[in-house]
Amino acid sequence: MPRLIARLYLAADQPLRAKLLACLVRPLSSLSLMAVAAGAFARLLLVGGSSGLTVAVEEAARFSGDQIFELARFVEQVSPEALQQFARLIAARPLGAAAFSASAAVLLLKALPGPPYSDASDPVGQTTC
């Protein structure tokens, strides 16, 4: 799942990357941000304060796929709900590689624990990131 999240993140445009990154870092503490991916996300503390809730578009462009993979792997252990929000956010917005991203978003939503995602529900209304 973390590898899929990293690929989806890299396929997203810059504004969506910022929203996705905010979704991933929201449940993390200051110490967690400093520890994940050799401290790559500690900069978000300086930019966004201790909450890290908002991420500038320029900041989202700084992170590599490997760093996002490490972040997703950590978030998967700490807050699986954040990954569900990430998947809903992806499902609600088109990405550049439409066939890949649509398939990957569905796979991610099905792989995550919790209530299954159905086509009848509105993923846009469910996103909180």
Side-chain angles (χ1 to χ4, degrees):
M1 229 179 327
R3 185 62 62 193
L4 180 58
I5 287 170
R7 286 184 177 191
L8 287 167
Y9 179 87
L10 293 175
D13 62 12
Q14 295 297 344
L16 181 54
R17 278 188 187 186
K19 291 176 185 175
L20 295 171
L21 184 57
C23 191
L24 289 174
V25 300
R26 184 170 285 121
L28 302 182
S29 67
S30 299
L31 184 58
S32 296
L33 285 174
M34 293 172 52
V36 173
F41 300 98
R43 179 171 173 79
L44 296 177
L45 292 172
L46 298 174
V47 174
S50 61
S51 65
L53 296 178
T54 58
V55 177
V57 172
E58 301 81 29
E59 289 298 316
R62 293 179 171 266
F63 302 108
S64 70
D66 289 336
Q67 291 168 326
I68 297 300
F69 169 77
E70 290 294 325
L71 176 63
R73 191 168 64 171
F74 186 79
V75 171
E76 181 180 34
Q77 297 169 13
V78 174
S79 178
E81 300 83 23
L83 298 185
Q84 290 175 341
Q85 293 170 353
F86 180 98
R88 288 187 192 110
L89 194 58
I90 287 285
R93 290 164 176 78
L95 298 177
F100 166 74
S101 58
S103 301
V106 170
L107 287 173
L108 181 60
L109 283 166
K110 287 185 177 192
L112 290 169
Y117 173 75
S118 68
D119 294 334
S121 64
D122 178 16
V124 176
Q126 297 175 3
T127 57
T128 58
C129 294

